[in-house]
Amino acid sequence: MVPPRQVKNLLSRYSRAGKDDRFDAYVLADAMRTDGHRFTDLTRDTAPTVGLRALVRARQDLVAVRVGLVNQLRHTLELAFPGAVGLFFDLHSPIARAFLRRFPTAAEAAVLDEDSMAAWLAAEGYCGRTPAAVFIHRLRTAPAGLTGTEAAARRHVTLALLASIDALEAQAAELSRRIKEALALHPDAPIFTSLPRAGQIRAAALLAEIGDARGRYPDPQTLAAAAGVCPFTDASGKHHAVGFRYKVDTKLRRALTDFADDSRHANPWAADLYARARGMRHPHAIRVLARAWTFVLWRCWQDATPYDPDRHGALGRYLDQEDATAA
């Protein structure tokens, strides 16, 4: 694949004025003739990987839309029903959405007492440890919401947003089931599911974005650069600068950093590396940790072997100090 900007730079080698598709084709063909060894061959993933990638990215898109709708719902409730915003841990959780469907306004929730709240929680199968008295206290100490005509209008808005969120949650759950099904059939699944705290959805995202074409990343440095978890160097004469990589595969970076961020809670050397990088901002420290994981991931991926802490743990510690401070 030759980026358009690179084609534009190649045009400067020729004296012809103007630009058209036929001349672009000639420039590309001539560049392949004279400098073909400088270009990387296109490597394609297998059909199962391409299909898994489509499922993973579709689910991520639905989750992004859901986040936006939940933010709109929170804004509406902060005006109309402030007590419902912090009532449960997550506003988009099933129990929170069930509560808002049953009591979409502050006036409708005002009739609740400790006994009726306990009865409603039991009917919904709520298994949390928070007693009904705590929920009633939160509702009664919250700021008053809207009343009258505006409250009635906001009630319709709340129910409409809830219906949209419910539909997205159902479709995201369906895609999650299809992702798990496709992952179970993929020959590389044991590599990624063996990683600490990878689970199935996160492992599927890593597999989908890294792919199964081994020739795409001939070494771990190439994988780290493509994901933007290592720095780039700009040096000319006495000028020397190390900076953040912006032109990267952002979906691959998100998959790697998401995994790295959670891995520190289950892997000793990952936790130790993150702790030693705490002088940096959190995103910077996570990129340092993600770059260390690329050595492990690449080795497991190339050898088609699951992750073994005793065998592969030392690879994660192999991180040049200069790169660690600038990743």
Side-chain angles (χ1 to χ4, degrees), residues 291-316:
R291 182 183 182 275
W293 270 113
T294 58
F295 286 90
V296 178
L297 278 168
W298 185 86
R299 186 74 273 163
C300 295
W301 183 59
Q302 289 289 333
D303 296 343
T305 56
Y307 171 68
D308 182 354
D310 297 329
R311 178 183 177 187
H312 299 113
L315 289 172

Side-chain angles (χ1 to χ4, degrees), residues 53 56-57 60-61 205-206 208-210 217 222-229 244-259 286-287 290:
R53 184 180 299 130
V56 168
R57 291 183 178 180
Q60 290 173 346
D61 291 341
L206 283 169
E209 300 306 336
I210 294 176
Y217 306 116
T222 307
L223 175 59
V229 294
F244 175 75
R245 287 181 182 267
Y246 288 95
K247 298 177 182 179
V248 298
D249 184 343
T250 55
K251 292 183 173 62
L252 175 58
R253 175 157 60 192
R254 180 173 60 182
L256 272 173
T257 53
D258 175 63
F259 159 69
I286 292 300
R287 289 196 302 274

